[in-house]
Amino acid sequence: MLRQAIEDGCCLVCLVYVSTARAGVSHAILNAILEDARLWNAEHGITGILIYCDGSFLQYLEGPREQVKQCYERITASTSHADIVELINEPTGTRKFSHWHMGFTTASRSQLRALLEVRWRNDTGDQHKTGADGIGLLRHLMDGGGVAG
């Protein structure tokens, strides 16, 4: 029953945050973070992507409300980063990145700036449009395209 409710989108939320990496985040540490996130997310029904740019992270998470909350608590307790700023935490009608337990790519400064300046909040009340502008930029970036701006 809960699985069907989740599939129907009534319990799904999306959360986007940006943070500053602590000094010394090497490729090896970043790979370990990704491996841990992918395993944990797969076990808890979380999907999303992580963007890294010159010492900054931007992450989009989606999944059941309680699991996203638990995931975000793990993230905020992590010593890998600081200065965490939540950009959005809202219900969403559907998963936008269902095929990635944790997709990953790097971004240029202009790409990250565009992601930070985009409209994430849903002012229309339509759960299917939550973060639509940001989602479009994330998809374009994950598909190997540049983000205009």
Side-chain angles (χ1 to χ4, degrees):
M1 181 68 86
L2 176 60
R3 182 173 182 89
Q4 186 60 46
I6 291 169
E7 294 301 317
D8 290 343
C10 76
C11 300
L12 293 175
V13 297
C14 68
L15 185 147
V16 178
Y17 73 89
V18 64
S19 65
T20 303
R22 299 248 187 217
V25 174
S26 65
H27 286 295
I29 291 171
L30 194 50
N31 285 334
I33 291 168
L34 287 167
E35 184 177 329
D36 178 63
R38 287 174 177 143
L39 291 172
W40 197 92
N41 290 356
E43 291 174 8
H44 294 88
I46 304 289
T47 52
I49 62 173
L50 178 66
I51 308 290
Y52 181 76
C53 171
D54 292 335
S56 295
F57 293 107
L58 184 136
Q59 187 166 17
Y60 175 95
L61 300 168
E62 60 191 9
R65 181 181 312 278
E66 189 57 36
Q67 283 76 6
V68 169
K69 180 181 175 211
Q70 290 172 14
C71 183
Y72 192 56
E73 288 170 355
R74 282 175 34 110
I75 289 165
T76 58
S78 172
T79 59
S80 301
H81 56 153
D83 305 323
I84 299 170
V85 177
E86 189 176 295
L87 302 177
I88 186 173
N89 186 350
E90 294 185 348
T92 185
T94 59
R95 290 184 187 263
K96 311 304 190 276
F97 299 100
S98 61
H99 52 290
W100 283 317
H101 287 293
M102 186 47 54
F104 175 76
T105 192
T106 57
S108 69
R109 287 182 184 165
S110 64
Q111 291 169 327
L112 181 62
R113 186 172 39 255
L115 287 166
L116 292 174
E117 292 173 354
V118 76
R119 182 178 58 89
W120 286 102
R121 296 266 174 227
N122 175 13
D123 300 326
T124 67
D126 182 349
Q127 289 184 356
H128 294 280
K129 300 245 184 240
T130 297
D133 295 345
I135 300 301
L137 287 176
L138 287 173
R139 283 187 175 145
H140 188 67
L141 184 59
M142 292 301 291
D143 289 341
V147 176

